[in-house]
Amino acid sequence: MGYEPQADFGTPASDAADSITLTIDGRETTVPAGTTVMRAAAELGNNIPKLCATDSLKQFGSCRLCLVEIDGRRGTPASCTTPVEPGMVVRTQTPALHKLRKGVMELYISDHPLDCLTCPANGDCELQDQAGAVGLREVRYGYEGENHLDSAKDLSNPYFDFDPSKCIACSRCIRACDEVQGSFALTMDGRGFESKISAGTAADDFLSSECVSCGACVQACPTSTLQERKVVEIGTPDRSVVTTCAYCGVGCTFRAEMRGEQLVRMVPWKDGKANRGHSCVKGRFAWGYANHQERILNPMIRESIDQPWREVSWDEAFAHAASEIRRIQAKYGKESVGGITSSRCTNEETFLVQKLIRAGFRNNNVDTCARVCHSPTGYGLKTTFGTSAGTQDFDSVMQSDVILIIGANPTDGHPVFASRMKRRLRQGAKLIVIDPRRTDIVRSPHIEAAHHLPLRPGTNVAVLTAMAHVIVTEGLADEAFVRDRCDWDEYAHWAEFVAQSRNSPEALEPVTTVDPADLRDAARLYATGGNGAIYYGLGVTEHSQGSSTVMAIANLAMATGNVGREGVGVNPLRGQNNVQGACDMGSFPHELSGYRHVSDAAARALFEADWGVAIDPEPGLRIPNMLDAAVEGTFKALYVQGEDILQSDPNTKHVSAGLAAMECVIVHDLFLNETANYAHVFLPGSTFLEKDGTFTNAERRIQPVRKVMTPLNGLADWEVTQGLANALGLDWNYSHPSEIMDEIARLTPSFAGVSFERLDALGSIQWPANEAAPDGTPVMHIDGFVRGKGKFVVTDYIPTDEKTGPRFPLLLTTGRILSHYNVGAQTRRTDNVVWHPEDLLEMHPADAEDRGLKDGDWTWLASRAGETTLRVQVTDRVAPGVVYTTFHHPATQANVITTDYSDWATNCPEYKVTAVQVTASNGPSDWQESYDERSRRSRRIEAEAAE
């Protein structure tokens, strides 16, 4: 693809079913009713001059440049606000229109710097283009009068600058912030000549405002008023490649705009079906880690972890790693080695790692980060519905009447989808939030939840059971749906259980701390408010009853008939960009790709025939089991692809003990992460910008990842795994990831219709994609559940073993923040640290006062598992007795605190419930100071390697 921008039709497309025929410049055209004259003309190829209009925003009609003449109508109406009518005759180019437009443009240019040759937007400026389009060659008005040319720049944002001297007051940035992002952070201050864009704060700059740096305003700006710094630094792009973001599970499509091998900017792709042309600060701007100086580009080995690293060739690294694997297996047995796949790598790369374990290591000791996040989703939804994934596409939310969010913070964790959700809420949908913390979506501009149920951490099952109690006892269940689609006997048994008085909101209030009346009203709203959709996140799954909660959610959806059509469903908001894909690809120790158990002889036979090896029918070790076995001395080698288990997994002391007990740890990653402190082999990884493949997002959407630049380390991640496999004697000879996808499709029924050719043609495909659904499946379970009849499961509330008491009276829960991602390995190496330079401990004012703590004070945070120090943020976002922190910074090591309690079915750790004590501290702990020293040592090693 060259550098041709996407066509802009000026106003959004109409989805009306009726058509209207009109004539524009002598040519007849037919368009949907509700289409504007501007868009109808643009679709004919007649681009009417415009400045305030863009097809990502509602029509506005302020710039007066898009005037047209219409037979039978007086004056010259704006084409962007004029809807088409049957038989309408429009003229877009006449001498009178030319004169009017030229005069309007003269007024704009008379108060605009004439520095086009040195302006970073030269050649990429709509004002410049439209001046040419109207034939403006001179300006009759001088600069002697008042103007805005000396306006001060706002340089506060780390990614873009605001130069008000170039602003034409078109309001596109304000409208983008309002309509697309929903932050309402910008406004137009003053009137007439005094009109100016304001960030609406006392400081009046972007950094201190409510702006979340999503980039919507930058993208909407038709001049260089809002300009990305990388464009200023590098220059305008000369080519582009459409690819998929490697941050969260939304899976935004971007146009990576390049100048040679340098990435200039990431522009959200309007045709991206997951993001619809929107983005967040991470995907839009935080890609600088790809070229960060701390990135490791050459393989390294060492004999023991107390020795310095030694750079080696790829061949030597592969040979050494393979030799160690075989040595350990010969000494300790076949089961003494294993691997962990990455939820940040592509489907193809993840598939190869699990294949390496099963075909090369000859065991099933493979697991993935979903073990510590969404493994209960796989278990719970497969049990109840028959498939281990969400039911809807993201567009479905626009048909929802009631949105129930439980254990998720979409504005921080999935911000692009949250913007679409907020748009639907502004249109009138009702919101229920079940969360211990008052997240931003509970109350934000033009949005307020109908109900916020601030439950006690760990009581999700009790709250959902109480809601079910109300629905069943008040006759609000959709029994017709249940009889038709579900097992009636199982439903009757479940209904009898939830109807018991012990499960009423009043009886469970001492457990949940939720007001019974509010809970009853929320249950009634969900059951009777129309299309009800449930969205959940790690606040559901990362509990000792994570799987039970997922099944309780499914029970609620089935009981109310909220499954199988647009606007409803059960929707897990996946954390990492390809955690859904990693699960799909067979990364669990008990499942092959497509969620088929390894004990299934027919499924195994497919793989055995294709791979030419026998597949062990016994499930392998999960990550916690691997670490336990390592401490016991029976598990001795681990290959970790793109996962920092020392920072991300619970009970850090236990993880470090397990890693330290191993004889060969192979880390395959971009940076020397915390796990690499225990590594013997380091294989440098490649970023999403340096590879081809696919990611699968939270809506089961398989999307292309396209190589933008040459891998700085020399190899894409799939080539690294292939090199290790061949060193082990497997004789793989893939030449391109498309061949790996062909193998996946050959062996995985839900991917049978997927290929790179189909993805190029369709843009993306939601699995299952097969003969029955060649173009994919946006909404699941339309005519029936995958398993046949929907299964109701009794989910009795069982309190966690983690208890508060005199020593540890508070409950700690953890989460993410908008500017960072997961353990921060990528975002901490970008300017996103401006917003969140350290993890903070949120504490209610009453708890802070009891401990003599003020905002910003250092605290000592301790649990039964460990302790750390961090600063306190006093806020009423959390309830008394609850504290909250993020886990993005290794210096904090929040998971030193979390215990190894886990979900009963999947071993997903209980990150969200840890009993803690908080007291005043003098400053950072010894552990954090040692981390700083390790960081300095790592940088020194890298500098020496570079020399």
Side-chain angles (χ1 to χ4, degrees), residues 150-420:
D150 294 328
S151 301
K153 292 183 180 181
D154 179 355
L155 308 179
S156 62
N157 190 284
Y159 293 118
F160 59 83
D161 297 333
F162 174 60
D163 183 354
S165 71
K166 296 181 178 180
C167 179
I168 61 172
C170 66
S171 293
R172 275 167 59 167
C173 60
I174 297 173
R175 292 150 55 207
C177 188
D178 295 356
E179 297 174 26
V180 179
Q181 169 57 30
S183 288
F184 295 84
L186 305 178
T187 188
M188 183 75 76
D189 278 353
R191 301 182 66 182
F193 180 80
E194 301 300 327
S195 298
K196 65 175 183 177
I197 303 298
S198 169
T201 62
D204 204 28
D205 64 37
F206 274 81
L207 188 62
S208 62
S209 75
E210 295 298 313
C211 170
V212 293
S213 297
C214 68
C217 60
V218 179
Q219 187 175 358
C221 183
T223 69
S224 65
T225 304
L226 287 161
Q227 185 61 265
E228 291 178 53
R229 291 184 179 177
K230 282 296 181 182
V231 176
V232 179
E233 176 187 327
I234 300 173
T236 52
D238 55 21
R239 67 181 180 91
S240 64
V241 179
V242 175
T243 190
T244 303
C245 179
Y247 276 117
C248 77
V250 174
C252 296
T253 306
F254 279 89
R255 170 179 158 125
E257 299 191 345
M258 309 291 295
R259 190 169 186 86
E261 283 264 308
Q262 282 188 293
L263 179 57
V264 178
R265 62 187 172 195
M266 294 285 282
V267 178
W269 184 242
K270 289 194 293 186
D271 295 333
K273 294 177 182 177
N275 59 318
R276 302 293 183 188
H278 191 32
S279 61
C280 79
V281 62
K282 295 188 286 290
R284 185 72 157 89
F285 298 117
W287 41 264
Y289 68 88
N291 297 302
H292 196 274
Q293 62 182 3
E294 291 181 5
R295 188 170 163 193
I296 305 298
L297 301 179
N298 298 300
M300 302 187 298
I301 63 175
R302 58 185 177 181
E303 297 304 317
S304 63
I305 63 174
D306 57 355
Q307 293 181 354
W309 288 104
R310 177 170 63 89
E311 281 192 5
V312 296
S313 67
W314 279 110
D315 286 343
E316 184 176 350
F318 293 145
H320 178 76
S323 174
E324 283 294 278
I325 293 292
R326 291 303 187 222
R327 176 188 68 80
I328 289 168
Q329 285 189 306
K331 182 176 181 180
Y332 298 101
K334 180 169 64 77
E335 302 295 328
S336 62
V337 301
I340 299 174
T341 72
S342 175
S343 293
R344 282 177 270 179
C345 289
T346 64
N347 286 316
E348 295 75 13
E349 290 163 342
T350 303
F351 184 83
L352 285 195
V353 172
Q354 66 86 29
K355 180 178 180 179
L356 171 69
I357 306 304
R358 293 189 161 105
F361 295 4
R362 299 295 183 93
N363 63 45
N364 288 312
N365 292 340
V366 59
D367 210 348
T368 187
C369 90
R371 174 67 53 212
V372 299
C373 61
H374 268 283
S375 51
T377 287
Y379 182 90
L381 294 185
K382 187 170 185 179
T383 300
T384 52
F385 294 165
T387 187
S388 301
T391 62
Q392 315 293 119
D393 62 2
F394 288 147
D395 287 341
S396 174
V397 76
M398 300 308 293
Q399 307 301 320
S400 298
D401 300 307
V402 179
I403 298 170
L404 192 162
I405 302 172
I406 176 170
N409 183 5
T411 53
D412 280 11
H414 304 84
V416 172
F417 175 65
S419 293
R420 195 177 312 179

Side-chain angles (χ1 to χ4, degrees), residues 28 55 65 72 74 77 81 101 142 155 256 335 556 562 568 585 622 643 686 710 738 741 749 843 913:
E28 193 174 89
D55 58 15
L65 202 62
R74 296 178 58 186
T81 57
R101 290 172 182 159
L155 308 179
E335 302 295 328
L556 215 58
N562 279 309
V568 299
M585 292 299 99
R622 300 170 175 179
E643 189 68 25
S686 54
T710 304
S738 60
M741 177 52 74
M843 175 179 281
V913 185

Side-chain angles (χ1 to χ4, degrees), residues 89 240 506 652 661 726 810 836 867 877:
V89 177
S240 64
E506 291 76 14
T652 302
N726 287 336
L810 304 173
H836 190 74
E867 65 278 331
R877 289 169 68 102

